[in-house]
Amino acid sequence: MRNISIGLLGLGNVGSGTVRILSENRESLARRLEGRVTVKRVLVRDPSKARDVELPMPALTTDPDDILDDPDIRVVVELIGGIEPAREYVLRALTSGKHVVTANKALIAEHGAEIFAEAARRRLSVHFEGAVAGGIPVLRAVREGLASDRITAVTGIVNGTSNFVLDTMTSSNASYTQAVTAAQRAGFAEADPTLDVSGRDAAHKLAILTLLSFGVRIRPDDIATTGIDLVRAFDIAAADQRGYVIKSLAQARLGPDGRLHAYVTPALVPKQHIFAGVHGAYNAVLVESAGLGHSMYYGPGAGMMPTGTAVVSDIIEVCRDVLGFVRRSTPPEAFHGVQPATPAPLGGLEHQSYLCFHVPNVPGILGRVASTLGAHGVSIDSMDQDTPGDRELLEMVIVTERVSRARLDAALREIDAFDVTAAPTHHMPIVDPM
Ligand code: HSE
């Protein structure tokens, strides 16, 4: 049986999962491949550190050249994360004629064009299933399973930390800060959770989903991104009373004019919607396509074994190419001739909205807010407010009818500039029932 030597860059959580799966599933992998995969070298920072996976000591190295310059190593698996030195190592691996597997979403979302161009030039494969939604094989589903179809929208709960935080706030009336602490204790949120709660991690994943779903490259920085850090226990309760839960959604949708809308935002989701049942740190991606209709991909979005599973499935795919002497496999972006694009301005989107105004209880304030909304063509579906003492701040909640973001934003700009307005209006889109 032929052997393929691979090199791992990094032996953290996902690296350890990858080694464990390669070892535990050794026999079934060999039968699937008609070949053996051997982890020849692993780049680590500290070879003496105790690890829960078994590797012969000589496999561990602190010198990337031991992997990148070894002609026997055909596949490099990058699991160190971050941009540098991961980008340099991946490009060097490709230049040396090695195929690449990575789970690095920031690297692929921000430097994919450069990496894929180098891979195409050298007829090599780059696979990155673990970069989006952890263990869920959603990229493979979109790239291969739906290659026959025309995708019109992808919407995902793709940040497990944000989902855990919002879910904890929903189930236990916790404040945002308490829920973040719970997520840290449970091992989901980092000590500095900014990348996750700001929506940036989800924007990286959405840029990759967009690439494979539409063959269009968008920059994560061009995705309108709102984090969950402004969601308050009050908003969760107000949504609940109206039949909704708040979820952080990442969406890319083709408009009727063929332009792509892409955004990450907390949104009110009807309790009957399939997304409302996605709890804890789980991920889900809902794909809308012309032939299949709605299809949903659901499972653990992170973690040693789930993401390790995605990485090993990529290793199998690349090794098939190596063993089959395939000169060029599926383009990593799923399409030939990928074009860069800028998402359409959000002003063209139409949806219902949840608004919470921060205005004082003074005579005429409700009329002032309502008539400003009306003047911009924003129609009110329902309105509630508590009535505290004179001049105390109201929590005035208004649910609008469907209206364009352009009209809504113009109305909110005017209301937020009232002399009495104490803080910017909280607003979140409301997702249509499925
Ligand atoms: N930090 C990510 C999340 C997991 O919370 O979903 C890795 O992509």
Side-chain angles (χ1 to χ4, degrees):
M1 204 175 262
R2 289 181 60 200
N3 178 67
I4 300 178
S5 296
I6 70 172
L8 258 60
L9 306 174
L11 192 56
N13 204 24
V14 178
S16 303
T18 300
V19 171
R20 217 169 111 185
I21 293 162
L22 284 170
S23 155
E24 285 175 2
N25 299 351
R26 193 175 160 75
E27 292 314 318
S28 70
L29 292 181
R31 283 185 59 208
R32 285 179 194 274
L33 268 175
E34 278 198 303
R36 294 239 177 246
V37 178
T38 306
V39 179
K40 185 172 178 191
R41 301 310 293 269
V42 182
L43 179 72
V44 292
R45 235 178 279 156
D46 176 8
S48 63
K49 187 174 152 186
R51 305 184 185 268
D52 23 341
V53 286
E54 276 181 40
L55 273 166
M57 266 310 278
L60 301 185
T61 175
T62 54
D63 183 356
D65 295 353
D66 286 344
I67 293 171
L68 301 173
D69 294 340
D70 181 345
D72 184 42
I73 290 180
R74 303 289 303 276
V75 182
V76 168
V77 183
E78 183 279 306
L79 299 169
I80 46 184
I83 302 293
E84 292 295 356
R87 175 180 155 276
E88 180 205 328
Y89 293 166
V90 162
L91 288 171
R92 268 188 63 196
L94 292 168
T95 311
S96 312
K98 302 180 193 315
H99 300 275
V100 168
V101 170
T102 176
N104 190 330
K105 61 227 149 175
L107 182 68
I108 294 298
E110 292 184 12
H111 297 278
E114 180 186 22
I115 290 166
F116 298 143
E118 186 61 23
R121 228 184 334 269
R122 296 178 185 276
R123 298 183 169 262
L124 294 163
S125 300
V126 178
H127 287 288
F128 43 93
E129 183 65 68
V132 177
I136 312 171
V138 63
L139 297 187
R140 200 160 268 110
V142 166
R143 199 188 72 207
E144 302 301 324
L146 297 176
S148 50
D149 211 342
R150 199 158 32 79
I151 295 176
T152 51
V154 274
T155 313
I157 293 176
V158 287
N159 186 262
T161 303
S162 297
N163 200 54
F164 185 95
V165 169
L166 292 173
D167 202 39
T168 303
M169 291 173 77
T170 304
S171 59
S172 66
N173 299 321
S175 70
Y176 170 76
T177 313
Q178 288 167 332
V180 169
T181 307
Q184 284 164 332
R185 280 211 199 100
F188 294 118
E190 305 282 340
D192 175 3
T194 312
L195 191 64
D196 292 316
V197 299
S198 66
R200 179 124 187 103
D201 173 82
H204 281 139
K205 292 168 178 166
L206 184 62
I208 298 173
L209 276 170
T210 301
L211 185 64
L212 270 67
S213 303
F214 304 105
V216 168
R217 187 185 318 287
I218 53 176
R219 291 177 347 114
D221 282 349
D222 289 335
I223 297 174
T225 300
T226 308
I228 60 163
D229 39 343
L230 285 180
V231 178
R232 306 161 305 160
F234 176 87
D235 302 312
I236 300 270
D240 177 62
Q241 283 159 15
R242 290 163 180 77
Y244 300 99
V245 288
I246 300 181
K247 295 283 179 194
S248 174
L249 300 184
Q251 182 173 83
R253 177 181 292 281
L254 281 183
D257 57 358
R259 287 203 70 186
L260 190 77
H261 292 97
Y263 56 88
V264 175
T265 183
L268 273 68
V269 173
K271 285 181 186 172
Q272 305 77 12
H273 195 286
I274 196 162
F275 276 149
V278 178
H279 296 294
Y282 271 71
N283 281 194
V285 178
L286 184 64
V287 179
E288 294 167 50
S289 56
L292 182 61
H294 287 76
S295 54
M296 167 99 152
Y297 308 86
Y298 168 82
M304 174 173 167
M305 296 307 274
T307 308
T309 302
V311 169
V312 175
S313 74
D314 279 350
I315 293 173
I316 295 171
E317 191 165 345
V318 170
C319 288
R320 282 212 172 102
D321 294 350
V322 173
L323 291 170
F325 301 102
V326 175
R327 298 272 297 155
R328 186 168 179 185
S329 62
T330 322
E333 298 134 300
F335 290 82
H336 293 282
V338 166
Q339 295 296 321
T342 309
L346 292 191
L349 285 177
E350 265 196 16
H351 49 73
Q352 284 192 278
S353 281
Y354 161 91
L355 312 174
C356 182
F357 297 96
H358 305 293
V359 287
N361 183 12
V362 291
I365 190 65
L366 171 58
R368 216 175 146 194
V369 167
S371 58
T372 308
L373 290 171
H376 288 276
V378 181
S379 184
I380 295 172
D381 178 76
S382 68
M383 201 287 292
D384 285 283
Q385 61 176 41
D386 55 0
T387 41
D390 263 5
R391 308 205 73 85
E392 280 183 50
L393 274 189
L394 295 168
E395 297 280 10
M396 186 197 287
V397 173
I398 286 182
V399 171
T400 72
E401 293 181 356
R402 280 182 82 85
V403 68
S404 76
R405 276 296 284 268
R407 286 180 182 276
L408 181 73
D409 288 348
L412 296 187
R413 262 197 305 277
E414 197 173 323
I415 294 166
D416 287 350
F418 286 176
D419 50 353
V420 292
T421 300
T425 303
H426 269 79
H427 63 101
M428 285 180 262
I430 299 179
V431 172
D432 291 335
M434 260 183 89

